[in-house]
Amino acid sequence: MERSGTVDKAVRALEALREGGGSASLAELAARLRMPKATLHRLLASLAAHALVEQDGEGRYRLGVGLIRLGLGAQGLDPVARVAKPELERAARAFGETFFLVAARAGRLVVLDKAEGTGLLRAAPTVGAEVPVDVTASGRLYLAHAPELVGAPCASPAAQRAARRGYDVNEGEWIDGLTVIAAPVLARGSLHGCIACAAAAQSLRGDRHDAAVRHTRDAAERVARALQGDSRR
């Protein structure tokens, strides 16, 4: 597929602003992207016209509100995210920890939605973050049920074990100190995503761990039933 150089440059500029974690001057961005300032200035002006970037009082650039509009619009149109949203919120209220929807899109695993728990801890990652396949519970479930969706040739033994028990756990394998329990959303014979519960490792011990597994699997099953048109939620 033929690619547009201008679009590539625009995406690189937006990613640079995101990765910078705040604002950046034209000179800083140009140096980071190794792009002529005149070219970058024209590109940023076009992005600003659509509210995809904005400038503060000092002329520094940051991501604009238009990206929120586009992101929420895409999320609202995604059928799995739309169905999962109330179930994530229900599980977060009931259990008090953070619940995620993770799904494969364009060959990558990404966080499509997130419902924060009622506690003070706000668990990473953020919506839109890419999730590594090989060291996460959701990744192993994808390797078990749909390796082709994440560009893998086959399931590993660990992924096969996860499939047999119906969920998987990773304890600090990706993010230090964070335990994540994931369960697959299986509907009409296909994997549509994973529901994941994330919490500080010390808060998911013993009975609390078992309860997290139960809440996660229940949420995944409710989403699967909704996708199949089953009203028993």
Side-chain angles (χ1 to χ4, degrees), residues 98-103 109 131 135-142 145 161-163 165-171 179-185 191 193-199 204 209 212-221:
T98 299
F99 283 78
F100 298 88
L101 170 65
V102 177
L109 278 187
V131 178
V135 295
T136 61
S138 295
R140 286 189 285 268
L141 289 169
Y142 261 89
H145 293 285
R161 288 194 296 272
R165 67 179 179 177
Y167 70 94
D168 197 36
V169 182
N170 65 269
E171 297 181 333
T179 292
V180 180
I181 296 167
V185 176
L191 179 64
C194 295
I195 301 297
C197 172
L204 292 184
H209 179 277
V213 171
R214 185 173 64 254
H215 279 281
T216 304
R217 297 187 73 179
D218 286 349
E221 289 170 6

Side-chain angles (χ1 to χ4, degrees), residues 41-67:
H41 183 267
R42 290 193 298 271
L43 191 64
L44 291 171
S46 295
L47 292 171
H50 298 281
L52 301 179
V53 300
E54 56 189 42
Q55 285 181 281
D56 61 21
E58 298 177 352
R60 295 174 66 84
Y61 292 91
R62 61 190 177 196
L63 296 177
V65 69
L67 290 171

Side-chain angles (χ1 to χ4, degrees), residues 115-152:
E116 297 282 6
T118 55
L120 295 177
L121 177 68
R122 293 295 180 262
T126 58
V127 174
E130 185 173 348
V131 178
V133 173
D134 55 342
V135 295
T136 61
S138 295
R140 286 189 285 268
L141 289 169
Y142 261 89
L143 289 175
H145 293 285
E148 71 283 357
L149 294 181
V150 290

Side-chain angles (χ1 to χ4, degrees), residues 76-132:
L77 292 172
D78 187 285
V80 181
R82 189 168 60 247
V83 169
K85 188 175 188 64
E87 300 303 341
L88 296 175
E89 293 172 348
R90 179 195 294 193
R93 286 195 305 270
F95 190 58
E97 301 292 355
T98 299
F99 283 78
F100 298 88
L101 170 65
V102 177
R105 295 292 184 270
R108 300 177 180 180
L109 278 187
V110 294
V111 177
L112 291 187
D113 203 358
K114 173 181 179 179
E116 297 282 6
T118 55
L120 295 177
L121 177 68
R122 293 295 180 262
T126 58
V127 174
E130 185 173 348
V131 178

